[in-house]
Amino acid sequence: MPRQEVLERIKTAEQEADDIVEEAEAEREELVAEAREEADEIRSEAEEEAAELESERLQEGRADIETERERILEEGEDARDELVAEAEDHIDDAVEFAIGKFEEAVDAQT
């Protein structure tokens, strides 16, 4: 094979190699860009899911707090009702005691 032809084949092979490298680099850049875009989408979806979960848990927490608040209020009302009933049971005794002390005071003056 003549020397000129060998040189031409070498040049052609080098050009083909350069083209292959260039295509590979372009493909690599495209794959990296796609991977970054996919990572951004995954991150965005994860952030949305986290926000939804946070909102759900916040609502659940508020519902739990409201349930506990209602229970405490009900217990307080029950305790108040018991105290009122107990106080009403002692009204007659208190009146009798007060009348007795008043009568003693009147008798002591006479």
Side-chain angles (χ1 to χ4, degrees), residues 19-35:
D19 290 346
I20 290 171
V21 167
E22 193 175 305
E23 286 178 25
E25 286 178 359
E27 185 176 341
R28 179 188 62 85
E29 289 175 10
E30 185 178 323
L31 289 172
V32 167
E34 288 175 4

Side-chain angles (χ1 to χ4, degrees), residues 5 7-8 13 26-27 34 40 43 52 60 82 99-100 109:
E5 188 178 323
L7 289 174
E8 283 298 317
E27 185 176 341
E34 288 175 4
D40 287 343
R43 185 180 310 111
E52 288 175 12
E60 290 172 1
E82 287 177 22
I99 291 173
Q109 290 181 357

Side-chain angles (χ1 to χ4, degrees), residues 42-56:
I42 290 170
R43 185 180 310 111
S44 178
E45 288 174 7
E47 288 173 353
E48 287 177 19
E49 288 178 19
E52 288 175 12
L53 183 60
E54 177 186 20
S55 178
E56 288 174 11

